[in-house]
Amino acid sequence: MTTYVFSADPDHLDRARVHAWLAEESYWAKGRPREKQESAIDHSLNFGMYVADDSGDPTTQVAYARVVTDHTTFAWLADVFVDTAHRGHGLGKELIKNVLAALEPMDLRRILLKTNDAHGLYAQYDFAPLESPESWMVRGAQ
């Protein structure tokens, strides 16, 4: 049985793998250039799920999420991805649970995300549709 471990250590990130997942397999970042992904990683909090070795240390990355935040009032959860070969093992749940635990000490007022799927997953962690979407505005791609 495969054992998985969570890490918020950016040194554990497999940047090439993360870029491939997002640029080639995701619906929201398809075609994202590598330099844009590198910049996004460098300016965000990054989290991953990894296959653990016998001592419990992270080895192969199997999931990713990043958070853009001011560390005080607001965060945007983005680029959540679980490798297709490792789906169905609860990794999405474990990833989100650990990301939210890492953000908890910040006592953020609001954490947002945009998703076209997995609403059931996020609802388990108290994410809900915006009560007043008409009061939100966006500049740029929608």
Side-chain angles (χ1 to χ4, degrees):
M1 183 172 143
T2 304
T3 302
Y4 299 100
V5 62
F6 171 83
S7 177
D9 185 341
D11 292 336
H12 291 146
L13 288 177
D14 184 337
R15 289 171 174 251
R17 178 172 277 200
V18 168
H19 177 255
W21 284 335
L22 298 177
E24 298 170 16
E25 298 182 47
S26 77
Y27 63 83
W28 64 91
K30 190 151 310 261
R32 181 182 288 168
R34 178 73 187 261
E35 61 274 5
K36 288 267 190 192
Q37 184 60 48
E38 291 293 330
S39 184
I41 288 171
D42 291 341
H43 294 95
S44 302
L45 300 176
N46 298 276
F47 306 94
M49 295 295 299
Y50 302 82
V51 173
D53 65 14
D54 291 340
S55 63
D57 292 328
T59 59
T60 306
Q61 187 167 2
V62 295
Y64 175 73
R66 72 182 179 93
V67 173
V68 180
T69 183
D70 63 6
H71 297 261
T72 306
T73 62
F74 175 82
W76 179 273
L77 176 60
D79 291 341
V80 178
F81 193 90
V82 177
D83 187 302
T84 55
H86 293 269
R87 291 180 185 166
H89 301 286
L91 292 176
K93 289 180 184 181
E94 194 66 18
L95 178 62
I96 298 306
K97 178 185 86 170
N98 281 286
V99 167
L100 294 176
L103 298 177
E104 190 66 32
M106 296 178 199
D107 193 29
L108 300 167
R109 180 173 182 212
R110 181 175 292 118
I111 302 171
L112 290 177
L113 68 90
K114 181 194 179 300
T115 183
N116 291 344
D117 55 14
H119 291 87
L121 166 66
Y122 297 112
Q124 294 175 46
Y125 297 95
D126 299 324
F127 283 90
L130 291 171
E131 289 182 16
S132 302
E134 68 280 356
S135 67
W136 289 82
M137 298 180 74
V138 64
R139 179 175 185 241
Q142 294 194 46

